[in-house]
Each structure stands twice: as C-alpha cells, then as structure tokens.
Amino acid sequence: MSFSSTRRLAEAAGAAALGGMFAGAAGSVVGVAVPAAAIGGLNGAISGWRQTYDWKCFDGLVAFTLDSTWGLPMTGAGIVAQSVGLLLPSSGYVPELSERHNRHVYRRGFRVRKGFAVTLGNVISQAGDIERPRRARLVTDHEDVHVWQARWFGPGYPVLYVGWMVLGGAFGAIRWAAGRRKRGDRLFATIESAAYYLNPFEWWAYSRDNYWPPSEKVPDFGWRQPCCPPLTAARPERPSGIEQMSR
C-alpha cells in the first residue's frame, strides 16, 4: 500500500470513529443513537478517504462537527446521494472541487430535475460541465451555500425548505387562478416561481451567486433585490474554469 493510500485509510478510520461517536451522542438525545452513529461513521469514512474536510481550517472543523451532530438529518440524505454517486460509474466525482473543500461534488449522479444541480447535505450532484466558469461558480457560490444552510439550520432545514415549496406553490396556483398574473403566464411557471425561486433559501443562494434575479424566472411579486452581497465581492478575482477551484 502506498504512503498516500495509508494516509487516506488512517484519515478515514479516524473520521469514521469520531463521526460515529459525535453522531451517536447527538442521536441518543432523541433515542436514535445507533442509526445516527451509523450515518456519522459512514460520512466520516467516506469523507476521510476522500480527504474532504479541511482539518487545518476552522471552517473544516465546524463543517465536520455540524455534519456529525446538528446537521445529521441532511447528512443522512447526503448518504443517499453519495450512494448513487458511488454506484453509478458515470457519476464523475470531482476531487478538485471536493478535497479539503468540506463537500462532495459529482458531475452527474443523483438527479431530481434535468439541468438543475441538487444538494443534499454535503453532497452536490449534477454539477455538470464544471470546466465552464459559470457552472463552476454554481458549485462554489450557490450549491455550497445550500451545504452550509443544511448545517446551520439542521433538522429545520428540510422542514422549512419543503414547507415553503408546498405553501408557495399553493399561493402561486391561487394567484394564477385568481387572474393576478401577466398575460401569457403559464400555471406551472407561476407555481415554480413562487415555490422555488422565491424560496428564501434559494433567494439567499442566488444572491450569493450574484445571479438574482435569475432573468424572467422571478414573477412580478416577491423580492426584487438580492438579500445579501455576492461572494465574489468578498474575495479577489479568480482564474476562470477548473483553475478557479483551487483555494
């Protein structure tokens, strides 16, 4: 076994043990210590082998701790996306965007909707052609925001996100049916706008991505301005394409 493989194995074993311990302790509070420990240990093992967490940086320590405790429900969802990525040979894991970046990135893999990247826990799937600057920035400035949203909001994140989609979709349908729409607006487009694009979590991510509003997708109601400064304003200009992945 090479020195590099030995280091990966050691990191995987250590992260699995620590992740399982943290998760088991967190899960014991609500009576699910064993399944929680299994999720935390599995996330630690995979992430350790792939050298995902940046242990030398405060962000990396926080990311691992939250993924193994407060954010564990979405980490479990991420294991599902991870399983699809591991089982499909065509998934296209992207180490340049993953190693020491506190996330896992796949070009393809788990998919919900064609053309849309999807983030579950610390796993980003359907990143696509990340050699294109716009697509690479989608990962670093948009989907990575969702990764941290899941960590900060923990168990509340899926409830709030899905809850908005349900209520927002219903509001969009009612508004469309009531005729409060522009001429030619389709029912699905109105529902999609209210449920997805006006979702505060998406508004936040699109704003950080410096992509708000996303052209004509946002309806003539709701927020018109970004909710926060883009990430590009807080860091120096980076090279385009795959080169901008190294930090």
Side-chain angles (χ1 to χ4, degrees):
M1 183 179 292
S2 67
F3 178 69
S4 175
S5 295
T6 301
R7 288 186 60 183
R8 286 178 178 272
L9 185 59
E11 184 170 339
L18 197 58
M21 182 178 68
F22 282 7
S28 66
V29 176
V30 291
V32 291
V34 173
I39 293 172
L42 190 55
N43 174 67
I46 297 172
S47 300
W49 176 259
R50 286 180 164 170
Q51 300 182 319
T52 303
Y53 292 107
D54 187 358
W55 304 110
K56 296 180 181 180
C57 179
F58 179 72
D59 284 355
L61 298 176
V62 171
F64 175 77
T65 302
L66 290 176
D67 284 350
S68 304
T69 54
W70 177 242
L72 197 62
M74 288 307 297
T75 301
I79 294 296
V80 175
Q82 194 79 265
S83 300
V84 175
L86 291 171
L87 292 173
L88 293 179
S90 61
S91 292
Y93 187 70
V94 187
E96 296 90 346
L97 279 172
S98 305
E99 288 184 6
R100 305 310 182 200
H101 284 78
N102 309 310
R103 62 183 178 234
H104 301 269
V105 181
Y106 291 91
R107 291 175 182 269
R108 290 168 291 278
F110 182 82
R111 187 173 83 173
V112 174
R113 184 178 176 186
K114 185 177 180 180
F116 279 69
V118 58
T119 298
L120 292 178
N122 58 21
V123 181
I124 300 170
S125 304
Q126 296 296 318
D129 183 8
I130 45 81
E131 281 75 27
R132 292 167 48 200
R134 171 68 199 117
R135 202 68 188 179
R137 200 180 79 204
L138 175 69
V139 172
T140 60
D141 292 16
H142 182 116
E143 298 303 327
D144 193 62
V145 172
H146 290 317
V147 171
W148 282 96
Q149 287 170 346
R151 287 168 176 155
W152 293 128
F153 286 86
Y157 178 70
V159 176
L160 293 170
Y161 192 102
V162 175
W164 180 279
M165 291 198 72
V166 173
L167 296 178
F171 173 78
I174 293 172
R175 184 181 179 89
W176 187 91
R180 300 188 63 183
R181 60 184 188 274
K182 294 182 291 186
R183 185 184 299 274
D185 280 356
R186 293 173 295 139
L187 173 60
F188 176 77
T190 304
I191 292 175
E192 178 187 45
S193 294
Y196 173 73
Y197 287 104
L198 292 184
N199 188 315
F201 290 111
E202 293 298 339
W203 181 34
W204 179 355
Y206 275 106
S207 296
R208 295 300 263 172
D209 189 20
N210 198 24
Y211 204 62
W212 187 269
S215 66
E216 74 285 352
K217 295 295 185 180
V218 178
D220 57 355
F221 58 92
W223 13 89
R224 308 304 303 168
Q225 300 298 321
C227 70
C228 50
L231 289 171
T232 51
R235 62 174 176 244
E237 197 68 28
R238 295 178 297 178
S240 61
I242 198 75
E243 295 177 2
Q244 75 172 16
M245 298 169 195
S246 301
R247 291 194 291 170

